[in-house]
Amino acid sequence: MKKQLFIFLLLFVSASGFLFAEDSDSSVGENSSISIDKFSIVPETVGRGDLFTLTIILDYDKVDDVDLNLDNLPSWMILRRGPYYRAFIDTDSDKVSQRKIRITATFKADKSGRKIIPAFKISAGSKKLETPPSIMNVGLYRNRKLYIPLEVEWRAGVDEIYEGEAVPLFLTVLNQPSVVLFDSTRVALPDEGFFEKASGLGRISSQRVGEKALYDIPAAAFIYTPKKSGKVVIPAAGVDYSGLTGWSNDLDLKVKPVPEEISETGAVGNFIFTSTINKTELFVGEDLVLTCKVSGRGNLNYLKIPAPEVHGFLMVSSEETDDFSSSLYGFTGSKTIKRTYKAENSGKGSIYIPEFSFLDKESHDIITIKAKRYNLLMKSVETEGSKASVHYSFEKLEPDSVIMKNWHNLYTNPLAYIFLLPGLVFYLLTRIFKKQRLVIAIILSVLITAALFFVYNIPMNNAVSGTESITAVQSYNLAVDKYIEGDVPSAIHYLRSAVYLNPMNDFYREVLENVEQDHGFLNSIQPSIWFHPDLFFFILVLVVNLAFIAGVFRFLRSSGGSSSLIILFSFLAVFSIVMIVYTNSSRSNETGIVYGSEVNIKKIPKDSAEFWMNLKSGTAVKLLYESDNYYLVETGLGVKGWVENNDIIRDNPEL
């Protein structure tokens, strides 16, 4: 009996162990077979504000062990109902039944466009599952038809920028099913700053969603450079394509002031600054070329190249060359300023290039390139023997010399215009007395003309328009006296006065040119225009009288040749009037010389203003404007500045 009991217990324990092991193996196999049987979204295309349902079916039968994680929903998906978990029995085609779980959740589509439904995580027992990502088309209704609008946004890559920094901005269309070229863009300028369109910038990016791809396409690119700190708003912009227009939101940017260390240059980026000169020793009058260049990447459109401090030279010209193009860093390339100077006097000079500082945006460090000084030597032309002195006759003139003939400004005297009357008188008398009494008309014309001359006492050969304080020959002789005394600036002044009084005399001009060349006056303006208005006044008197005489012949003979002469003389009369106005206007441009031991030019007409540069005493300048005790002057090289009145002697001796 005991033996039978022992065998029974042994069989029971073995059977229990076998059943327990089988149940354990069944549980492990069951967990390993859990999977997502079906995943669907209904409908796949909805209007904004419409609802759609997400359905997930699991090969699993324990509802309490299943959880759908919806913690990280995108902002456009708003959960309205669910998630719900329901167990059900599914029968396949072989009529095999299996318990499964259906998960449903209903969402509202709150934004339009092609939206990505992310992968959702599901916990089923100890198994972790994940749904595949998918694309939801959320459209808008127009004329009862649903269309998918363009999603447009501004992309800057940064939220904070510096004053003067050049920042690329991209107007980008999001989530396009294919790469396309858009029809046009609609972009409004911001309230302040530089906003330049940039071509060739921007890259197309893509992301795969299952078997499909969506593309973000830049429709336009711009470089924006703010001019002041504070908040800047880039206005909303639009993109047109196939009859649709998508609009972005405003883009808010915070603009910070630049550090004090770079306030002089305003340079933000990564740069190299260099400066070169073409020579360190030069003769007086030679050109010295200073080239300052900034190369690299950053705000090349905005930064300032520091102005040099120059001693002993006069700037002739300044030329700026921009050789940069838009890039992802703002601008890449170089900016060059080439300045040309002339040495006016022999001796030593210098050019000081201030330091150049910039903010490296990547490292946020202030980089400073050290200042540089060029020491220069200016040599006299004569002492080096490179130029022989010009020899010319500079002696006083006799009072009865032929070159003492002066113009008398008849064109300014209203009485001188009676010279236009003889032809008119002759024409009118001819019309009155006809051909039969032509002799009487001629005699009366002569008598009336003579009467006019005698009444107004203006002889044709020596008309006097007014009293001149000095003649051209007297001014020339004064120039000789001053030159002998060693007062070269005064000699130049009197020579220019002689040219003004008798501009058509080549002798005065030659002497003036030789004196200026011999003494290194390289930036003086040219003296008075070559023609005196009286020349064209005489031509006017002649052609007007000839026109009336031609009119007499036409009246007496009615010939076609007379008509042609009238037209010709009329044209010459108009030309003479134009030239009188032009030459008078040219002579009205006031000129003079700077005179003093040291004549300083200032940038503003104030006693407290700093000196800009020096002018050599005797340099001829144009007087542009007078303000208080200063003249705005311009040299022959186009340099402008303010000089005190006491340092100017006018060329016109009549003033």
Side-chain angles (χ1 to χ4, degrees):
M1 181 68 180
K2 290 181 179 180
K3 185 176 180 181
Q4 290 176 343
L5 180 62
F6 175 76
I7 293 172
F8 175 77
L9 289 174
L10 182 61
L11 291 173
F12 177 79
V13 170
S14 298
S16 299
F18 174 77
L19 291 173
F20 178 79
E22 185 180 48
D23 183 69
S24 176
D25 291 344
S26 173
S27 176
V28 172
E30 181 180 294
N31 278 331
S32 62
S33 65
I34 298 174
S35 63
I36 297 176
D37 183 56
K38 185 178 180 181
F39 174 77
S40 64
I41 299 171
V42 179
E44 293 183 351
T45 300
V46 296
R48 187 178 66 184
D50 292 346
L51 302 180
F52 63 95
T53 300
L54 182 148
T55 302
I56 305 170
I57 295 178
L58 299 180
D59 288 332
Y60 192 56
D61 60 352
K62 296 181 180 179
V63 174
D64 294 339
D65 292 343
V66 176
D67 180 64
L68 174 62
N69 188 341
L70 299 178
D71 292 340
N72 298 317
L73 284 178
S75 60
W76 68 271
M77 289 180 64
I78 299 177
L79 182 63
R80 280 290 183 252
R81 294 189 294 272
Y84 301 118
Y85 306 89
R86 291 184 178 87
F88 70 99
I89 297 176
D90 183 32
T91 303
D92 60 18
S93 58
D94 296 331
K95 297 185 179 182
V96 176
S97 298
Q98 183 180 358
R99 289 177 60 85
K100 296 184 179 181
I101 296 175
R102 179 185 290 111
I103 306 173
T104 58
T106 302
F107 302 90
K108 175 185 174 181
D110 197 46
K111 293 181 181 179
S112 59
R114 293 177 180 85
K115 301 300 182 181
I116 298 176
I117 297 177
F120 294 112
K121 294 182 179 180
I122 303 172
S123 299
S126 60
K127 190 73 177 286
K128 303 296 182 183
L129 303 174
E130 192 173 86
T131 63
S134 57
I135 298 174
M136 166 64 70
N137 295 318
V138 183
L140 297 175
Y141 290 98
R142 184 170 65 182
N143 297 328
R144 297 183 179 181
K145 292 184 179 180
L146 193 65
Y147 71 96
I148 309 300
L150 300 176
E151 297 178 76
V152 183
E153 73 173 15
W154 280 113
R155 288 185 175 178
V158 292
D159 295 326
E160 293 184 345
I161 59 178
Y162 285 98
E163 174 186 348
E165 181 182 357
V167 179
L169 301 179
F170 302 98
L171 185 61
T172 306
V173 181
L174 310 179
N175 298 331
Q176 291 300 293
S178 61
V179 177
V180 297
L181 293 176
F182 301 103
D183 298 334
S184 61
T185 58
R186 308 183 191 187
V187 180
L189 298 178
D191 292 336
E192 67 88 28
F194 304 107
F195 197 71
E196 307 173 46
K197 191 168 185 177
S199 58
L201 293 188
R203 297 176 181 176
I204 299 174
S205 60
S206 65
Q207 58 177 325
R208 297 205 66 82
V209 182
E211 297 180 354
K212 299 180 180 179
L214 293 178
Y215 300 90
D216 293 346
I217 307 170
F222 301 86
I223 303 294
Y224 175 63
T225 307
K227 294 191 294 185
K228 62 181 181 180
S229 58
K231 180 182 177 181
V232 174
V233 177
I234 307 299
V239 178
D240 299 322
Y241 177 68
S242 295
L244 301 178
T245 301
W247 289 91
S248 72
N249 293 324
D250 292 344
L251 175 64
D252 296 334
L253 295 174
K254 181 180 179 181
V255 181
K256 300 188 296 184
V258 295
E260 182 65 27
E261 296 90 334
I262 66 165
S263 58
E264 292 297 323
T265 64
V268 180
N270 198 324
F271 305 104
I272 298 174
F273 176 66
T274 59
S275 63
T276 58
I277 56 175
N278 63 332
K279 58 186 72 176
T280 57
E281 294 185 5
L282 63 161
F283 292 109
V284 173
E286 281 191 292
D287 287 348
L288 174 70
V289 180
L290 169 66
T291 303
C292 296
K293 182 177 182 180
V294 176
S295 56
R297 62 192 192 189
N299 60 342
L300 288 166
N301 64 322
Y302 182 84
L303 62 81
K304 299 176 183 177
I305 296 179
E309 298 177 10
V310 181
H311 300 280
F313 293 88
L314 178 67
M315 188 171 72
V316 177
S317 64
S318 178
E319 179 184 358
E320 182 173 323
T321 303
D322 294 335
D323 185 19
F324 53 78
S325 57
S326 54
S327 69
L328 295 176
Y329 305 97
F331 293 93
T332 299
S334 64
K335 182 176 189 175
T336 305
I337 295 182
K338 183 179 291 185
R339 296 180 174 92
T340 302
Y341 301 90
K342 280 189 183 293
E344 289 194 298
N345 301 306
S346 60
K348 294 182 179 180
S350 65
I351 296 180
Y352 175 76
I353 310 296
E355 64 184 18
F356 182 85
S357 299
F358 63 90
L359 171 64
D360 188 336
K361 188 70 180 295
E362 295 180 359
S363 63
H364 298 282
D365 294 331
I366 303 294
I367 311 297
T368 299
I369 299 174
K370 294 182 178 179
K372 191 173 184 179
R373 180 182 296 275
Y374 297 99
N375 295 314
L376 305 153
L377 178 63
M378 294 86 78
K379 303 177 183 179
S380 174
V381 174
E382 289 76 16
T383 57
E384 295 297 323
S386 62
K387 179 179 178 181
S389 297
V390 178
H391 299 284
Y392 49 90
S393 175
F394 200 9
E395 300 177 352
K396 285 190 175 183
L397 300 173
E398 296 297 330
D400 58 350
S401 172
V402 67
I403 65 171
M404 70 175 289
K405 302 298 181 181
N406 278 5
W407 299 92
H408 298 283
N409 296 333
L410 293 178
Y411 74 100
T412 63
N413 185 1
L415 297 179
Y417 286 87
I418 65 171
F419 297 147
L420 301 173
L421 297 179
L424 175 61
V425 170
F426 180 47
Y427 177 77
L428 293 176
L429 290 175
T430 302
R431 300 278 298 192
I432 294 172
F433 292 103
K434 309 298 182 182
K435 185 175 182 180
Q436 294 78 5
R437 299 179 181 179
L438 181 60
V439 175
I440 297 176
I442 295 174
I443 294 173
L444 287 176
S445 298
V446 172
L447 291 175
I448 293 174
T449 301
L452 290 173
F453 289 155
F454 284 110
V455 168
Y456 293 99
N457 195 23
I458 305 179
M460 284 288 291
N461 60 343
N462 192 23
V464 178
S465 63
T467 302
E468 292 181 340
S469 61
I470 190 173
T471 65
V473 69
Q474 290 171 337
S475 184
Y476 175 83
N477 287 338
L478 285 172
V480 175
D481 291 337
K482 293 297 182 181
Y483 192 81
I484 293 173
E485 295 172 5
D487 188 355
V488 177
S490 294
I492 291 176
H493 162 65
Y494 285 115
L495 283 172
R496 293 181 67 88
S497 296
V499 172
Y500 180 87
L501 293 170
N502 196 350
M504 298 180 66
N505 193 302
D506 290 340
F507 177 76
Y508 297 148
R509 291 183 180 273
E510 287 182 15
V511 174
L512 173 62
E513 182 180 354
N514 289 330
V515 171
E516 288 183 336
Q517 287 183 354
D518 265 11
H519 293 275
F521 291 95
L522 304 173
N523 61 337
S524 291
I525 65 167
Q526 293 298 315
S528 177
I529 192 170
W530 283 84
F531 300 105
H532 195 284
D534 274 357
L535 171 65
F536 299 101
F537 175 76
F538 292 143
I539 296 175
L540 176 64
V541 170
L542 178 63
V543 298
V544 168
N545 285 290
L546 289 176
F548 282 116
I549 293 173
V552 171
F553 279 99
R554 186 178 184 280
F555 172 70
L556 296 176
R557 297 185 178 182
S558 300
S559 62
S562 299
S563 299
S564 300
L565 287 175
I566 293 174
I567 295 174
L568 174 62
F569 292 143
S570 299
F571 172 79
L572 291 175
V574 173
F575 171 76
S576 300
I577 294 173
V578 171
M579 291 305 298
I580 289 173
V581 174
Y582 170 71
T583 53
N584 178 59
S585 175
S586 299
R587 287 171 61 82
S588 298
N589 292 330
E590 289 193 54
T591 57
I593 66 164
V594 294
Y595 189 86
S597 57
E598 184 177 354
V599 181
N600 298 307
I601 287 187
K602 299 180 178 181
K603 290 188 176 181
I604 56 176
K606 290 185 178 180
D607 295 338
S608 59
E610 295 183 358
F611 301 142
W612 179 27
M613 62 181 181
N614 297 329
L615 276 181
K616 186 176 181 179
S617 181
T619 301
V621 295
K622 183 185 294 185
L623 310 181
L624 302 176
Y625 182 74
E626 186 175 5
S627 175
D628 296 332
N629 297 322
Y630 287 87
Y631 276 117
L632 177 62
V633 303
E634 180 180 1
T635 70
L637 300 176
V639 178
K640 296 180 181 179
W642 294 90
V643 177
E644 292 187 17
N645 291 5
N646 296 334
D647 293 331
I648 296 292
I649 302 178
R650 295 182 179 182
D651 288 342
N652 186 355
E654 299 171 356
L655 296 177

